[in-house]
Amino acid sequence: MSDIPYKIYLDESELPTQWYNVRADMKNKPAPLLNPGTGQPLTAEEMGGIFCEELVAQELDDDTAYIPIPAEIREYYKTYRPSPLVRAYNLEKRLGTPAKIYYKFEGNNTSGSHKLNSAIAQAYYAKKQGLKGVTTETGAGQWGTALSMACAYFDLDCKVYMVKVSYEQKPFRREVMRTYGASVTPSPSMETEVGRKILAEHPGTTGSLGCAISEAVEVAVTNPGYRYVLGSVLNQVLLHQSVVGLEAKTACDKFGIVPDVIIGCAGGGSNLGGLIAPFMGEKLRGERDYRIVAVEPASCPSFTRGKFAFDFCDTGKICPLAKMYTLGSGFIPSPNHAGGLRFHGMSPILSQLYYDGLMEAVAVEQTAVFQAAEEFARAEGILPAPESSHAIKVAMDEAMRCKETGEEKTILFGLTGTGYFDLVAYQSFNDGTMTDSIPTDEDLEKSFATLPVVPGT
Amino acid sequence: MSDIPYKIYLDESELPTQWYNVRADMKNKPAPLLNPGTGQPLTAEEMGGIFCEELVAQELDDDTAYIPIPAEIREYYKTYRPSPLVRAYNLEKRLGTPAKIYYKFEGNNTSGSHKLNSAIAQAYYAKKQGLKGVTTETGAGQWGTALSMACAYFDLDCKVYMVKVSYEQKPFRREVMRTYGASVTPSPSMETEVGRKILAEHPGTTGSLGCAISEAVEVAVTNPGYRYVLGSVLNQVLLHQSVVGLEAKTACDKFGIVPDVIIGCAGGGSNLGGLIAPFMGEKLRGERDYRIVAVEPASCPSFTRGKFAFDFCDTGKICPLAKMYTLGSGFIPSPNHAGGLRFHGMSPILSQLYYDGLMEAVAVEQTAVFQAAEEFARAEGILPAPESSHAIKVAMDEAMRCKETGEEKTILFGLTGTGYFDLVAYQSFNDGTMTDSIPTDEDLEKSFATLPVVPGT
């Protein structure tokens, strides 16, 4: 046995005091958000109607590499961070691989995922601005739970629009959010204009993150004292999530661990963007090279089958346009169980990095993902979230390739969360009734047709 | 802010290498288990039909203070231990108390509780003995989950009998256990003789731990290659759980923390017995005094309203007799939500300590417990298990008394687990439909009438 412990916990004194903004080191910056009416970059003033002021500043800042984490946020981080960097000794043994497998485990908090890292930051800035409350969407429910925890801490009102399929599959998520004082509405709902419109057009829809975003934004802009907050995709979110990568990097450096390959699941990109941030920084600055792999569900393959284009982040087309890999905002994924990865688009930062050849992407099918999840759970103890299990699957594949070649590669992946609220999905896997659902080329042609024409182009 | 961090994690090198057996320091040893037919102490040979050999030896050992933890068990412990000792800064602030509140948090593993500490030990000894599998009961489901994880790790068959009320309220627990390869049967069932008998007598029963134990024992003794394992009550279980207290004590000593009062919830006693072990050892040896408080539900008040007498551990009366505080094995608690505290009896070790005036006990009602749970969740982030919340309630009461008197007491309590599978209970609290259910004196007289006459007395 090596002298690396099963779990590396940093001391409180080693926790990051600044977030790292990877944009500062990117030669090709992510494209700015555009006003869909004019085709012009959104101004801070325009964004201020939707987002908190300080978050707008972070959204627009392509230059500052390190941004201090306010003391109040650091105090809260200390209640559940550092998260452990785990050496998967038992999984390695089970696979019989010479590879060294590490995972950064973000599931040991009540939100069950990394989402709390940005939720607490966004709630803090909302409180600082003197707002009454915030609105948001949630897919699998981790983000909504995280935000309700953060709002309870800062005494803010919290209105959550939850993708209907997840709302129905995860009734207990609703109770967690209620326990923290949030209101939860299944989306699309009849409460908003955009919800009513979507329901009229697609009466049987199980919803999507895109729909839920439209509703939450509408409620924020029509209620004084409210702003909208988002759990992924945006530059500000990836900034906050850099705390994951910074901790991982510090732990690696402390024990002389150098990953050959870094793997993360990618829905909107917040986990992957956060985990890879400081490693990508080294790569961008030419200091060290890493192989970086995004894993997405074959049922919602924005990187591997999408287009790099300006698109709406929401189905209702009331949000700004972002340049990203997208399947078109009209794409409604099948009621796939990996709720958190059901988004049609992808973080503009990650999209630009992928476009520039700085990272790879791979799509995997969900039954294979759950097979990997079960094997991981039995070896490592932790019952993983379906989202996280996409990364597990690809990490295990990589480890098995090492077994064939004899390479002792070091693999680092992001274990973003736990599957305690995903037991409906596990049940269908245990019962053998789980299926895969891959969009046809025709499906995608249809949803690509919903891509907007940018004014002035 | 003090220089004590929010969370104290020991290094892997500081983890206990021996369990501490508090019986070695007790002047009055707990009474031995008796053969209900003869009234004589159970021999190792008699116990060997039910339990694994090595566990029988541990059960009977009243003298050895420190028992080495086998390397294989320590390796597994490292996958989820040390658990953090947390300073509840946010709760203290919210309460405005001068008290210093600490909790030892055992919920950060998939079983959601401390139960894994003994499950992995018992599975290890079963494997070592060459058994095919083990049987057990589970109430809230933490123990069954823990055992299914341990059996998956050591490749053992695992048959779980789950108290019917919990089985129905927590369908997802079943799926977790299945994911780890266990079979789960609601109890009482028609699969066993004792189950059929109980169902004939009480057709509408929601079950109890006592019933489920009877069924699991019957299956173990009638199937070659199987033994029965138990998650609480027994001396061996408290021995394994001493790892909780030993870690807590090491962390306290490292940071100069001296608890004035130590609080834990008590169902069968495994959590409390484990947490207090080394502290009680100091008290028994006259080295230092601590106030120690057991918290039980008012709906199942074995310490505060029970009798100290020999009784069956199970409803079916097929188990040995244990001398303990008991409500009578015929006691069927109301379908109270705090499933893990529904047991009619109490660990013989804790019973003797309580009888000897070395610890106190208090009973609390569940709506007050859930109020405390909600306040704790909002302040500290963690959504606590209903069982653990009994300790939270009493710790908060103690902290509020300090606020009145101005005393800066140091309070340590056991936060045994998370409430992620208890959302039906949280929902009834959130909806305002939760009720309390306290047995009447008449109820207790009836169940006391089920106490056995010990042969030869």
Side-chain angles (χ1 to χ4, degrees):
Chain A
M1 189 69 60
S2 143
D3 58 353
I4 290 175
Y6 276 81
K7 291 185 272 83
I8 302 173
Y9 280 108
L10 300 179
D11 290 335
E12 212 170 71
S13 59
E14 295 169 305
L15 293 185
T17 56
Q18 307 175 95
W19 291 304
Y20 168 62
N21 182 5
V22 72
R23 284 168 287 166
D25 286 310
M26 289 169 70
K27 268 181 214 151
N28 301 322
K29 309 289 182 192
L33 297 173
L34 301 186
N35 179 322
T38 64
Q40 292 303 304
L42 224 57
T43 63
E45 209 179 339
E46 286 173 310
M47 291 174 85
I50 305 175
F51 302 115
C52 302
E53 286 158 19
E54 190 88 20
L55 293 167
V56 169
Q58 293 179 357
E59 192 64 29
L60 294 172
D61 187 343
D62 281 350
D63 303 311
T64 313
Y66 288 94
I67 295 178
I69 307 175
E72 292 87 340
I73 297 174
R74 279 189 287 129
E75 283 305 306
Y76 191 86
Y77 277 171
K78 288 177 194 167
T79 67
Y80 70 99
R81 308 202 65 81
S83 71
L85 179 69
V86 187
R87 174 74 183 267
Y89 284 118
N90 288 327
L91 183 64
E92 290 171 17
K93 210 189 298 172
R94 199 175 175 105
L95 298 178
T97 177
K100 297 175 185 67
I101 307 175
Y102 293 87
Y103 54 92
K104 179 72 171 163
F105 179 43
E106 291 288 314
N108 274 347
N109 69 75
T110 294
S111 80
S113 81
H114 64 294
K115 294 288 186 180
L116 196 49
N117 301 328
S118 186
I120 195 66
Q122 297 194 48
Y124 166 76
Y125 291 119
K127 187 71 181 178
K128 201 179 156 200
Q129 194 175 325
L131 297 177
K132 268 195 265 183
V134 291
T135 71
T136 199
E137 82 297 331
T138 198
Q142 283 102 332
W143 168 246
T145 307
L147 192 67
S148 65
M149 291 170 69
C151 287
Y153 184 73
F154 284 121
D155 196 21
L156 281 167
D157 186 35
C158 180
K159 294 182 194 296
V160 179
Y161 290 83
M162 188 169 184
V163 177
K164 192 178 275 174
V165 61
S166 296
Y167 183 90
E168 285 164 2
Q169 283 176 357
K170 302 176 184 186
F172 292 162
R173 277 278 186 205
R174 181 192 63 221
E175 291 309 319
V176 180
M177 293 186 249
R178 279 181 77 200
T179 301
Y180 287 92
S183 74
V184 190
T185 308
S187 168
S189 78
M190 294 300 282
E191 285 180 12
T192 63
E193 201 169 310
V194 67
R196 289 188 291 272
K197 190 164 165 250
I198 291 166
L199 282 170
E201 285 168 15
H202 307 277
T205 180
T206 51
S208 70
L209 280 173
C211 298
I213 292 171
S214 294
E215 293 203 83
V217 170
E218 181 183 318
V219 172
V221 299
T222 54
N223 282 278
Y226 283 78
R227 291 294 185 283
Y228 168 71
V229 297
L230 179 64
S232 193
V233 182
L234 295 174
N235 298 341
Q236 57 188 264
V237 179
L238 269 72
L239 176 70
H240 305 148
Q241 293 296 355
S242 70
V243 70
V244 176
L246 290 164
E247 278 186 15
K249 185 75 172 61
T250 302
C252 283
D253 289 348
K254 203 170 163 179
F255 285 84
I257 301 160
V258 182
D260 295 297
V261 52
I262 304 172
I263 299 165
C265 62
S270 72
N271 144 63
L272 182 66
L275 175 65
I276 66 172
F279 300 96
M280 183 59 86
E282 287 188 305
K283 186 165 175 164
L284 289 165
R285 294 188 302 270
E287 293 163 12
R288 187 173 256 158
D289 197 23
Y290 299 99
R291 213 182 123 212
I292 293 172
V293 183
V295 189
E296 60 185 13
S299 60
C300 196
S302 20
F303 266 141
T304 52
R305 295 175 68 196
K307 297 200 169 169
F308 190 40
F310 276 101
D311 194 9
F312 292 98
C313 289
D314 65 324
T315 313
K317 302 189 177 184
I318 65 173
C319 282
L321 300 177
K323 191 169 183 192
M324 56 186 179
Y325 279 86
T326 177
L327 300 168
S329 65
F331 181 76
I332 301 231
S334 73
N336 182 298
H337 292 294
L341 306 179
R342 287 163 53 83
F343 185 61
H344 66 273
M346 184 55 69
S347 140
I349 291 175
L350 293 187
S351 293
Q352 187 65 50
L353 291 168
Y354 180 64
Y355 183 77
D356 289 341
L358 290 154
M359 50 184 280
E360 306 164 27
V362 57
V364 291
E365 297 182 24
Q366 81 170 348
T367 46
V369 164
F370 273 82
Q371 271 156 13
E374 186 189 89
E375 192 157 3
F376 179 84
R378 294 184 181 189
E380 291 289 312
I382 299 165
L383 186 80
E387 295 84 356
S388 325
S389 303
H390 286 71
I392 293 174
K393 163 69 181 152
V394 172
M396 282 171 61
D397 287 349
E398 188 72 30
M400 293 311 285
R401 269 193 295 277
C402 288
K403 188 176 181 175
E404 282 168 30
T405 62
E407 284 176 287
E408 295 185 21
K409 276 192 190 168
T410 297
I411 300 167
L412 167 63
F413 73 89
L415 187 70
T416 54
T418 50
Y420 305 147
F421 292 89
D422 301 288
L423 273 309
V424 169
Y426 272 98
Q427 181 169 3
S428 83
F429 176 72
N430 291 336
D431 290 343
T433 57
M434 177 171 277
T435 55
D436 295 311
S437 53
I438 302 169
T440 62
D441 288 342
E442 205 184 4
D443 292 336
L444 292 185
E445 282 313 314
K446 259 189 226 165
S447 65
F448 288 145
T450 66
L451 283 170
V453 178
V454 181
T457 60
Chain B
M1 191 65 63
S2 142
D3 58 353
I4 290 175
Y6 276 81
K7 291 185 271 86
I8 303 173
Y9 280 109
L10 300 178
D11 289 336
E12 210 170 74
S13 59
E14 295 169 305
L15 293 185
T17 56
Q18 306 176 96
W19 291 304
Y20 168 63
N21 181 5
V22 74
R23 283 169 285 165
D25 286 311
M26 289 169 72
K27 269 181 213 152
N28 301 322
K29 308 292 182 191
L33 297 173
L34 302 186
N35 179 322
T38 65
Q40 293 302 304
L42 224 59
T43 62
E45 209 179 339
E46 286 173 311
M47 292 174 82
I50 304 174
F51 301 116
C52 304
E53 286 158 19
E54 191 88 17
L55 293 168
V56 169
Q58 293 180 356
E59 191 64 28
L60 294 172
D61 187 342
D62 280 350
D63 302 311
T64 312
Y66 289 95
I67 295 177
I69 308 174
E72 292 87 341
I73 297 174
R74 280 189 285 128
E75 283 305 307
Y76 191 86
Y77 277 171
K78 289 178 196 166
T79 67
Y80 70 99
R81 306 202 68 80
S83 71
L85 179 68
V86 186
R87 173 75 183 267
Y89 284 118
N90 289 326
L91 182 63
E92 290 171 18
K93 209 188 299 171
R94 198 174 175 106
L95 298 177
T97 177
K100 296 174 185 68
I101 307 175
Y102 293 87
Y103 53 92
K104 179 71 171 164
F105 179 44
E106 291 288 316
N108 273 348
N109 68 74
T110 294
S111 81
S113 82
H114 63 294
K115 295 289 186 180
L116 197 49
N117 302 327
S118 186
I120 194 68
Q122 297 194 48
Y124 166 76
Y125 291 119
K127 188 69 182 180
K128 200 179 157 199
Q129 195 176 324
L131 297 177
K132 266 194 267 182
V134 291
T135 71
T136 199
E137 81 297 333
T138 198
Q142 282 101 334
W143 168 247
T145 307
L147 191 67
S148 65
M149 291 168 69
C151 287
Y153 185 72
F154 284 121
D155 195 21
L156 281 167
D157 187 34
C158 180
K159 294 182 195 298
V160 180
Y161 290 82
M162 186 167 184
V163 176
K164 193 179 275 175
V165 61
S166 296
Y167 183 90
E168 284 164 3
Q169 284 176 358
K170 302 176 183 186
F172 292 163
R173 278 279 187 204
R174 182 192 63 222
E175 290 310 319
V176 180
M177 293 186 249
R178 280 180 78 199
T179 301
Y180 287 93
S183 74
V184 190
T185 308
S187 168
S189 78
M190 295 299 282
E191 285 181 10
T192 64
E193 201 170 310
V194 67
R196 288 187 291 272
K197 189 165 165 250
I198 292 166
L199 281 171
E201 285 167 17
H202 307 277
T205 181
T206 51
S208 69
L209 280 174
C211 298
I213 292 173
S214 295
E215 294 203 83
V217 171
E218 182 183 318
V219 173
V221 299
T222 54
N223 282 278
Y226 282 79
R227 289 295 184 284
Y228 167 70
V229 297
L230 180 64
S232 193
V233 182
L234 295 175
N235 298 341
Q236 58 188 265
V237 178
L238 268 72
L239 175 71
H240 306 148
Q241 293 296 354
S242 69
V243 70
V244 177
L246 290 164
E247 278 186 14
K249 186 74 174 59
T250 302
C252 282
D253 289 348
K254 202 170 163 180
F255 285 85
I257 301 160
V258 182
D260 295 297
V261 52
I262 304 172
I263 299 166
C265 63
S270 73
N271 143 62
L272 183 66
L275 175 65
I276 66 173
F279 300 97
M280 183 59 86
E282 287 189 306
K283 186 165 174 163
L284 289 166
R285 295 189 303 268
E287 294 164 9
R288 187 173 257 158
D289 197 24
Y290 300 98
R291 214 184 121 212
I292 293 172
V293 184
V295 189
E296 59 186 14
S299 60
C300 196
S302 21
F303 267 141
T304 52
R305 297 176 67 196
K307 298 200 169 174
F308 189 40
F310 276 101
D311 194 10
F312 292 99
C313 289
D314 64 323
T315 313
K317 303 190 177 185
I318 65 172
C319 282
L321 300 177
K323 190 168 183 194
M324 56 184 178
Y325 280 85
T326 176
L327 301 168
S329 66
F331 182 77
I332 300 233
S334 73
N336 181 300
H337 291 296
L341 306 179
R342 288 163 54 83
F343 185 59
H344 67 273
M346 184 56 68
S347 140
I349 291 176
L350 293 187
S351 293
Q352 187 64 49
L353 291 168
Y354 181 63
Y355 183 76
D356 288 342
L358 290 155
M359 50 184 279
E360 306 164 27
V362 58
V364 292
E365 297 183 23
Q366 83 170 347
T367 47
V369 164
F370 274 83
Q371 271 156 14
E374 186 190 89
E375 193 158 1
F376 179 84
R378 292 185 183 189
E380 290 289 313
I382 298 166
L383 186 81
E387 295 84 357
S388 325
S389 303
H390 286 70
I392 293 174
K393 162 68 180 150
V394 172
M396 282 170 62
D397 287 349
E398 188 71 29
M400 293 310 285
R401 270 193 295 278
C402 288
K403 188 176 179 176
E404 282 168 29
T405 62
E407 285 176 287
E408 295 185 22
K409 277 191 192 169
T410 297
I411 301 167
L412 167 63
F413 72 90
L415 187 70
T416 54
T418 49
Y420 305 147
F421 292 89
D422 301 287
L423 274 308
V424 169
Y426 272 98
Q427 181 169 3
S428 82
F429 176 73
N430 291 336
D431 290 344
T433 58
M434 177 171 278
T435 56
D436 295 312
S437 52
I438 301 170
T440 63
D441 288 343
E442 205 185 5
D443 291 337
L444 292 186
E445 282 315 313
K446 259 189 228 165
S447 65
F448 287 145
T450 65
L451 282 170
V453 178
V454 180
T457 60

